[in-house]
Amino acid sequence: MIRLHKEDYEKILAHARKEAPVEACGLIAGRIDGSDKYIEKVYILTNVDHAEEHFTLDPKEQLASVKDMRANGLVPLGNWHSHPVSPSRPSDEDKRLAYDSKASYMILSLMEEEPVLNSFHVENNEATKEELVIE
């Protein structure tokens, strides 16, 4: 299970809406307790591709985020990105680029009136939906 604070969900949603139709992206960090992941910080990063169906995290921002995680005793939990006009599920490219099988890959879909956020575990090009609780 992965747990996300409502305020952090709102932060992701606001940034994704602001960036649309370009994909928005960022990192998530926190702590792991058994099989549960607790997101304690959401990082908003720049999509250097400025593309509507692809994202690349800004390397300098990514490094600064990882340094901040370490300084605050947090562990990297994964990343998030938006799908402005497609469902909340990993695309073939998302699965192909999911190199870390320990990471959670969160995808926020804005295609419907009500946004949909899901989290996935991706391993060997197979995506499995994780239980996500927004509290």
Side-chain angles (χ1 to χ4, degrees), residues 33-60:
D33 185 5
S35 61
D36 292 344
K37 296 178 180 179
Y38 296 85
I39 299 171
E40 295 181 5
K41 190 161 186 181
V42 168
Y43 296 87
I44 304 293
L45 276 67
T46 302
N47 176 354
V48 295
D49 295 332
H50 304 289
E52 296 179 14
E53 294 182 2
H54 177 81
F55 77 98
T56 299
L57 301 170
D58 180 292
K60 289 180 183 174

PDB file of all heavy atoms in Angstrom, residues 33-60:
ATOM      1  N   ASP A  33       7.553   1.177   5.678  1.00  0.00           N
ATOM      2  CA  ASP A  33       7.317   0.420   6.904  1.00  0.00           C
ATOM      3  C   ASP A  33       6.692  -0.913   6.490  1.00  0.00           C
ATOM      4  O   ASP A  33       5.509  -0.963   6.137  1.00  0.00           O
ATOM      5  CB  ASP A  33       6.396   1.199   7.844  1.00  0.00           C
ATOM      6  CG  ASP A  33       6.197   0.518   9.193  1.00  0.00           C
ATOM      7  OD1 ASP A  33       6.843  -0.521   9.447  1.00  0.00           O
ATOM      8  OD2 ASP A  33       5.394   1.029   9.995  1.00  0.00           O
ATOM      9  N   GLY A  34       7.506  -1.955   6.475  1.00  0.00           N
ATOM     10  CA  GLY A  34       7.018  -3.249   5.991  1.00  0.00           C
ATOM     11  C   GLY A  34       6.727  -3.165   4.513  1.00  0.00           C
ATOM     12  O   GLY A  34       7.588  -2.796   3.721  1.00  0.00           O
ATOM     13  N   SER A  35       5.492  -3.472   4.142  1.00  0.00           N
ATOM     14  CA  SER A  35       5.105  -3.385   2.729  1.00  0.00           C
ATOM     15  C   SER A  35       4.411  -2.060   2.404  1.00  0.00           C
ATOM     16  O   SER A  35       3.984  -1.849   1.271  1.00  0.00           O
ATOM     17  CB  SER A  35       4.188  -4.555   2.363  1.00  0.00           C
ATOM     18  OG  SER A  35       3.011  -4.501   3.140  1.00  0.00           O
ATOM     19  N   ASP A  36       4.301  -1.174   3.393  1.00  0.00           N
ATOM     20  CA  ASP A  36       3.641   0.120   3.186  1.00  0.00           C
ATOM     21  C   ASP A  36       4.653   1.222   2.901  1.00  0.00           C
ATOM     22  O   ASP A  36       5.718   1.283   3.522  1.00  0.00           O
ATOM     23  CB  ASP A  36       2.809   0.515   4.405  1.00  0.00           C
ATOM     24  CG  ASP A  36       1.600  -0.378   4.604  1.00  0.00           C
ATOM     25  OD1 ASP A  36       1.222  -1.102   3.655  1.00  0.00           O
ATOM     26  OD2 ASP A  36       1.028  -0.352   5.704  1.00  0.00           O
ATOM     27  N   LYS A  37       4.298   2.082   1.955  1.00  0.00           N
ATOM     28  CA  LYS A  37       5.102   3.259   1.634  1.00  0.00           C
ATOM     29  C   LYS A  37       4.317   4.495   2.063  1.00  0.00           C
ATOM     30  O   LYS A  37       3.132   4.616   1.747  1.00  0.00           O
ATOM     31  CB  LYS A  37       5.386   3.330   0.136  1.00  0.00           C
ATOM     32  CG  LYS A  37       6.234   2.193  -0.395  1.00  0.00           C
ATOM     33  CD  LYS A  37       6.418   2.332  -1.897  1.00  0.00           C
ATOM     34  CE  LYS A  37       7.253   1.213  -2.473  1.00  0.00           C
ATOM     35  NZ  LYS A  37       7.411   1.345  -3.939  1.00  0.00           N
ATOM     36  N   TYR A  38       4.981   5.381   2.770  1.00  0.00           N
ATOM     37  CA  TYR A  38       4.375   6.626   3.229  1.00  0.00           C
ATOM     38  C   TYR A  38       5.065   7.787   2.534  1.00  0.00           C
ATOM     39  O   TYR A  38       6.243   8.048   2.776  1.00  0.00           O
ATOM     40  CB  TYR A  38       4.522   6.765   4.745  1.00  0.00           C
ATOM     41  CG  TYR A  38       3.787   5.697   5.522  1.00  0.00           C
ATOM     42  CD1 TYR A  38       4.375   4.460   5.777  1.00  0.00           C
ATOM     43  CD2 TYR A  38       2.499   5.924   5.975  1.00  0.00           C
ATOM     44  CE1 TYR A  38       3.696   3.471   6.470  1.00  0.00           C
ATOM     45  CE2 TYR A  38       1.812   4.942   6.677  1.00  0.00           C
ATOM     46  CZ  TYR A  38       2.415   3.716   6.918  1.00  0.00           C
ATOM     47  OH  TYR A  38       1.739   2.743   7.605  1.00  0.00           O
ATOM     48  N   ILE A  39       4.330   8.474   1.657  1.00  0.00           N
ATOM     49  CA  ILE A  39       4.890   9.625   0.956  1.00  0.00           C
ATOM     50  C   ILE A  39       4.866  10.812   1.906  1.00  0.00           C
ATOM     51  O   ILE A  39       3.815  11.218   2.395  1.00  0.00           O
ATOM     52  CB  ILE A  39       4.095   9.936  -0.329  1.00  0.00           C
ATOM     53  CG1 ILE A  39       4.152   8.747  -1.283  1.00  0.00           C
ATOM     54  CG2 ILE A  39       4.642  11.206  -1.004  1.00  0.00           C
ATOM     55  CD1 ILE A  39       3.236   8.865  -2.480  1.00  0.00           C
ATOM     56  N   GLU A  40       6.048  11.357   2.170  1.00  0.00           N
ATOM     57  CA  GLU A  40       6.160  12.497   3.077  1.00  0.00           C
ATOM     58  C   GLU A  40       6.557  13.772   2.354  1.00  0.00           C
ATOM     59  O   GLU A  40       6.471  14.853   2.918  1.00  0.00           O
ATOM     60  CB  GLU A  40       7.135  12.161   4.199  1.00  0.00           C
ATOM     61  CG  GLU A  40       6.588  11.028   5.063  1.00  0.00           C
ATOM     62  CD  GLU A  40       7.496  10.643   6.214  1.00  0.00           C
ATOM     63  OE1 GLU A  40       8.528  11.303   6.431  1.00  0.00           O
ATOM     64  OE2 GLU A  40       7.157   9.662   6.892  1.00  0.00           O
ATOM     65  N   LYS A  41       7.002  13.636   1.098  1.00  0.00           N
ATOM     66  CA  LYS A  41       7.338  14.838   0.333  1.00  0.00           C
ATOM     67  C   LYS A  41       7.161  14.562  -1.149  1.00  0.00           C
ATOM     68  O   LYS A  41       7.571  13.516  -1.657  1.00  0.00           O
ATOM     69  CB  LYS A  41       8.772  15.290   0.625  1.00  0.00           C
ATOM     70  CG  LYS A  41       9.092  16.657   0.060  1.00  0.00           C
ATOM     71  CD  LYS A  41      10.296  17.278   0.731  1.00  0.00           C
ATOM     72  CE  LYS A  41      10.495  18.699   0.232  1.00  0.00           C
ATOM     73  NZ  LYS A  41      11.658  19.333   0.842  1.00  0.00           N
ATOM     74  N   VAL A  42       6.534  15.508  -1.821  1.00  0.00           N
ATOM     75  CA  VAL A  42       6.343  15.468  -3.272  1.00  0.00           C
ATOM     76  C   VAL A  42       7.217  16.559  -3.877  1.00  0.00           C
ATOM     77  O   VAL A  42       7.209  17.698  -3.405  1.00  0.00           O
ATOM     78  CB  VAL A  42       4.859  15.700  -3.634  1.00  0.00           C
ATOM     79  CG1 VAL A  42       4.686  15.956  -5.114  1.00  0.00           C
ATOM     80  CG2 VAL A  42       4.007  14.527  -3.181  1.00  0.00           C
ATOM     81  N   TYR A  43       7.950  16.195  -4.889  1.00  0.00           N
ATOM     82  CA  TYR A  43       8.814  17.144  -5.587  1.00  0.00           C
ATOM     83  C   TYR A  43       8.226  17.438  -6.959  1.00  0.00           C
ATOM     84  O   TYR A  43       7.876  16.522  -7.698  1.00  0.00           O
ATOM     85  CB  TYR A  43      10.225  16.563  -5.751  1.00  0.00           C
ATOM     86  CG  TYR A  43      10.931  16.341  -4.442  1.00  0.00           C
ATOM     87  CD1 TYR A  43      10.758  15.150  -3.738  1.00  0.00           C
ATOM     88  CD2 TYR A  43      11.765  17.309  -3.901  1.00  0.00           C
ATOM     89  CE1 TYR A  43      11.402  14.939  -2.531  1.00  0.00           C
ATOM     90  CE2 TYR A  43      12.411  17.103  -2.689  1.00  0.00           C
ATOM     91  CZ  TYR A  43      12.225  15.915  -2.008  1.00  0.00           C
ATOM     92  OH  TYR A  43      12.860  15.709  -0.815  1.00  0.00           O
ATOM     93  N   ILE A  44       8.125  18.720  -7.272  1.00  0.00           N
ATOM     94  CA  ILE A  44       7.660  19.180  -8.585  1.00  0.00           C
ATOM     95  C   ILE A  44       8.905  19.455  -9.415  1.00  0.00           C
ATOM     96  O   ILE A  44       9.728  20.280  -9.030  1.00  0.00           O
ATOM     97  CB  ILE A  44       6.818  20.473  -8.451  1.00  0.00           C
ATOM     98  CG1 ILE A  44       5.644  20.283  -7.499  1.00  0.00           C
ATOM     99  CG2 ILE A  44       6.406  20.995  -9.811  1.00  0.00           C
ATOM    100  CD1 ILE A  44       4.577  19.334  -7.951  1.00  0.00           C
ATOM    101  N   LEU A  45       9.046  18.751 -10.534  1.00  0.00           N
ATOM    102  CA  LEU A  45      10.204  18.939 -11.396  1.00  0.00           C
ATOM    103  C   LEU A  45       9.753  19.405 -12.774  1.00  0.00           C
ATOM    104  O   LEU A  45       8.579  19.281 -13.126  1.00  0.00           O
ATOM    105  CB  LEU A  45      11.004  17.635 -11.528  1.00  0.00           C
ATOM    106  CG  LEU A  45      12.006  17.350 -10.408  1.00  0.00           C
ATOM    107  CD1 LEU A  45      11.342  17.084  -9.084  1.00  0.00           C
ATOM    108  CD2 LEU A  45      12.889  16.182 -10.774  1.00  0.00           C
ATOM    109  N   THR A  46      10.683  19.914 -13.531  1.00  0.00           N
ATOM    110  CA  THR A  46      10.405  20.387 -14.882  1.00  0.00           C
ATOM    111  C   THR A  46      10.492  19.234 -15.875  1.00  0.00           C
ATOM    112  O   THR A  46      11.429  18.439 -15.817  1.00  0.00           O
ATOM    113  CB  THR A  46      11.432  21.476 -15.277  1.00  0.00           C
ATOM    114  OG1 THR A  46      11.363  22.538 -14.324  1.00  0.00           O
ATOM    115  CG2 THR A  46      11.166  22.011 -16.674  1.00  0.00           C
ATOM    116  N   ASN A  47       9.511  19.156 -16.750  1.00  0.00           N
ATOM    117  CA  ASN A  47       9.574  18.221 -17.881  1.00  0.00           C
ATOM    118  C   ASN A  47      10.399  18.924 -18.954  1.00  0.00           C
ATOM    119  O   ASN A  47       9.899  19.796 -19.660  1.00  0.00           O
ATOM    120  CB  ASN A  47       8.167  17.901 -18.388  1.00  0.00           C
ATOM    121  CG  ASN A  47       8.167  17.007 -19.617  1.00  0.00           C
ATOM    122  OD1 ASN A  47       9.206  16.693 -20.179  1.00  0.00           O
ATOM    123  ND2 ASN A  47       6.983  16.607 -20.043  1.00  0.00           N
ATOM    124  N   VAL A  48      11.669  18.559 -19.067  1.00  0.00           N
ATOM    125  CA  VAL A  48      12.547  19.255 -20.003  1.00  0.00           C
ATOM    126  C   VAL A  48      12.172  19.013 -21.464  1.00  0.00           C
ATOM    127  O   VAL A  48      12.613  19.760 -22.336  1.00  0.00           O
ATOM    128  CB  VAL A  48      14.041  18.920 -19.760  1.00  0.00           C
ATOM    129  CG1 VAL A  48      14.492  19.427 -18.399  1.00  0.00           C
ATOM    130  CG2 VAL A  48      14.317  17.448 -19.923  1.00  0.00           C
ATOM    131  N   ASP A  49      11.359  17.994 -21.720  1.00  0.00           N
ATOM    132  CA  ASP A  49      10.895  17.741 -23.088  1.00  0.00           C
ATOM    133  C   ASP A  49       9.738  18.662 -23.476  1.00  0.00           C
ATOM    134  O   ASP A  49       9.478  18.845 -24.666  1.00  0.00           O
ATOM    135  CB  ASP A  49      10.442  16.293 -23.254  1.00  0.00           C
ATOM    136  CG  ASP A  49      11.582  15.314 -23.085  1.00  0.00           C
ATOM    137  OD1 ASP A  49      12.735  15.687 -23.354  1.00  0.00           O
ATOM    138  OD2 ASP A  49      11.315  14.171 -22.668  1.00  0.00           O
ATOM    139  N   HIS A  50       9.031  19.184 -22.487  1.00  0.00           N
ATOM    140  CA  HIS A  50       7.843  20.019 -22.746  1.00  0.00           C
ATOM    141  C   HIS A  50       6.926  19.335 -23.756  1.00  0.00           C
ATOM    142  O   HIS A  50       6.404  19.966 -24.672  1.00  0.00           O
ATOM    143  CB  HIS A  50       8.232  21.416 -23.218  1.00  0.00           C
ATOM    144  CG  HIS A  50       9.152  22.122 -22.263  1.00  0.00           C
ATOM    145  ND1 HIS A  50       8.734  22.596 -21.044  1.00  0.00           N
ATOM    146  CD2 HIS A  50      10.473  22.394 -22.326  1.00  0.00           C
ATOM    147  CE1 HIS A  50       9.752  23.144 -20.403  1.00  0.00           C
ATOM    148  NE2 HIS A  50      10.824  23.032 -21.160  1.00  0.00           N
ATOM    149  N   ALA A  51       6.741  18.032 -23.577  1.00  0.00           N
ATOM    150  CA  ALA A  51       5.962  17.232 -24.524  1.00  0.00           C
ATOM    151  C   ALA A  51       4.620  16.829 -23.931  1.00  0.00           C
ATOM    152  O   ALA A  51       4.469  16.730 -22.723  1.00  0.00           O
ATOM    153  CB  ALA A  51       6.752  15.987 -24.925  1.00  0.00           C
ATOM    154  N   GLU A  52       3.678  16.575 -24.817  1.00  0.00           N
ATOM    155  CA  GLU A  52       2.330  16.213 -24.391  1.00  0.00           C
ATOM    156  C   GLU A  52       2.175  14.714 -24.134  1.00  0.00           C
ATOM    157  O   GLU A  52       1.208  14.304 -23.504  1.00  0.00           O
ATOM    158  CB  GLU A  52       1.318  16.677 -25.445  1.00  0.00           C
ATOM    159  CG  GLU A  52       1.293  18.189 -25.576  1.00  0.00           C
ATOM    160  CD  GLU A  52       0.322  18.691 -26.618  1.00  0.00           C
ATOM    161  OE1 GLU A  52      -0.554  17.916 -27.080  1.00  0.00           O
ATOM    162  OE2 GLU A  52       0.432  19.868 -26.983  1.00  0.00           O
ATOM    163  N   GLU A  53       3.098  13.899 -24.612  1.00  0.00           N
ATOM    164  CA  GLU A  53       2.986  12.450 -24.425  1.00  0.00           C
ATOM    165  C   GLU A  53       4.307  11.831 -23.970  1.00  0.00           C
ATOM    166  O   GLU A  53       4.571  10.650 -24.217  1.00  0.00           O
ATOM    167  CB  GLU A  53       2.506  11.782 -25.710  1.00  0.00           C
ATOM    168  CG  GLU A  53       1.092  12.189 -26.067  1.00  0.00           C
ATOM    169  CD  GLU A  53       0.584  11.486 -27.311  1.00  0.00           C
ATOM    170  OE1 GLU A  53       1.292  10.649 -27.882  1.00  0.00           O
ATOM    171  OE2 GLU A  53      -0.555  11.785 -27.706  1.00  0.00           O
ATOM    172  N   HIS A  54       5.139  12.618 -23.318  1.00  0.00           N
ATOM    173  CA  HIS A  54       6.440  12.123 -22.879  1.00  0.00           C
ATOM    174  C   HIS A  54       6.985  13.081 -21.815  1.00  0.00           C
ATOM    175  O   HIS A  54       6.683  14.270 -21.846  1.00  0.00           O
ATOM    176  CB  HIS A  54       7.407  12.066 -24.064  1.00  0.00           C
ATOM    177  CG  HIS A  54       8.782  11.633 -23.692  1.00  0.00           C
ATOM    178  ND1 HIS A  54       9.125  10.311 -23.518  1.00  0.00           N
ATOM    179  CD2 HIS A  54       9.901  12.340 -23.434  1.00  0.00           C
ATOM    180  CE1 HIS A  54      10.396  10.232 -23.173  1.00  0.00           C
ATOM    181  NE2 HIS A  54      10.892  11.450 -23.117  1.00  0.00           N
ATOM    182  N   PHE A  55       7.767  12.545 -20.904  1.00  0.00           N
ATOM    183  CA  PHE A  55       8.422  13.433 -19.949  1.00  0.00           C
ATOM    184  C   PHE A  55       9.844  12.966 -19.682  1.00  0.00           C
ATOM    185  O   PHE A  55      10.154  11.780 -19.744  1.00  0.00           O
ATOM    186  CB  PHE A  55       7.644  13.538 -18.639  1.00  0.00           C
ATOM    187  CG  PHE A  55       7.800  12.343 -17.721  1.00  0.00           C
ATOM    188  CD1 PHE A  55       8.704  12.360 -16.673  1.00  0.00           C
ATOM    189  CD2 PHE A  55       7.037  11.198 -17.909  1.00  0.00           C
ATOM    190  CE1 PHE A  55       8.850  11.266 -15.838  1.00  0.00           C
ATOM    191  CE2 PHE A  55       7.166  10.097 -17.075  1.00  0.00           C
ATOM    192  CZ  PHE A  55       8.083  10.129 -16.034  1.00  0.00           C
ATOM    193  N   THR A  56      10.695  13.930 -19.412  1.00  0.00           N
ATOM    194  CA  THR A  56      12.045  13.683 -18.928  1.00  0.00           C
ATOM    195  C   THR A  56      12.274  14.645 -17.773  1.00  0.00           C
ATOM    196  O   THR A  56      12.093  15.855 -17.928  1.00  0.00           O
ATOM    197  CB  THR A  56      13.107  13.916 -20.028  1.00  0.00           C
ATOM    198  OG1 THR A  56      12.861  13.010 -21.111  1.00  0.00           O
ATOM    199  CG2 THR A  56      14.513  13.688 -19.488  1.00  0.00           C
ATOM    200  N   LEU A  57      12.637  14.086 -16.615  1.00  0.00           N
ATOM    201  CA  LEU A  57      12.901  14.913 -15.439  1.00  0.00           C
ATOM    202  C   LEU A  57      14.144  15.765 -15.673  1.00  0.00           C
ATOM    203  O   LEU A  57      15.131  15.290 -16.235  1.00  0.00           O
ATOM    204  CB  LEU A  57      13.132  14.028 -14.216  1.00  0.00           C
ATOM    205  CG  LEU A  57      12.005  13.081 -13.808  1.00  0.00           C
ATOM    206  CD1 LEU A  57      12.497  12.123 -12.734  1.00  0.00           C
ATOM    207  CD2 LEU A  57      10.806  13.858 -13.317  1.00  0.00           C
ATOM    208  N   ASP A  58      14.111  17.004 -15.208  1.00  0.00           N
ATOM    209  CA  ASP A  58      15.283  17.867 -15.279  1.00  0.00           C
ATOM    210  C   ASP A  58      16.377  17.262 -14.400  1.00  0.00           C
ATOM    211  O   ASP A  58      16.173  17.083 -13.194  1.00  0.00           O
ATOM    212  CB  ASP A  58      14.918  19.272 -14.797  1.00  0.00           C
ATOM    213  CG  ASP A  58      16.090  20.217 -14.850  1.00  0.00           C
ATOM    214  OD1 ASP A  58      17.040  20.020 -14.060  1.00  0.00           O
ATOM    215  OD2 ASP A  58      16.058  21.169 -15.642  1.00  0.00           O
ATOM    216  N   PRO A  59      17.542  16.916 -14.970  1.00  0.00           N
ATOM    217  CA  PRO A  59      18.584  16.238 -14.190  1.00  0.00           C
ATOM    218  C   PRO A  59      19.088  17.040 -12.990  1.00  0.00           C
ATOM    219  O   PRO A  59      19.335  16.473 -11.924  1.00  0.00           O
ATOM    220  CB  PRO A  59      19.712  16.016 -15.199  1.00  0.00           C
ATOM    221  CG  PRO A  59      19.143  16.268 -16.535  1.00  0.00           C
ATOM    222  CD  PRO A  59      17.913  17.092 -16.362  1.00  0.00           C
ATOM    223  N   LYS A  60      19.232  18.350 -13.143  1.00  0.00           N
ATOM    224  CA  LYS A  60      19.712  19.175 -12.023  1.00  0.00           C
ATOM    225  C   LYS A  60      18.684  19.197 -10.895  1.00  0.00           C
ATOM    226  O   LYS A  60      19.027  19.092  -9.715  1.00  0.00           O
ATOM    227  CB  LYS A  60      20.013  20.599 -12.498  1.00  0.00           C
ATOM    228  CG  LYS A  60      21.236  20.686 -13.369  1.00  0.00           C
ATOM    229  CD  LYS A  60      21.486  22.111 -13.823  1.00  0.00           C
ATOM    230  CE  LYS A  60      22.679  22.152 -14.768  1.00  0.00           C
ATOM    231  NZ  LYS A  60      22.884  23.471 -15.352  1.00  0.00           N
TER     232      LYS A  60
END
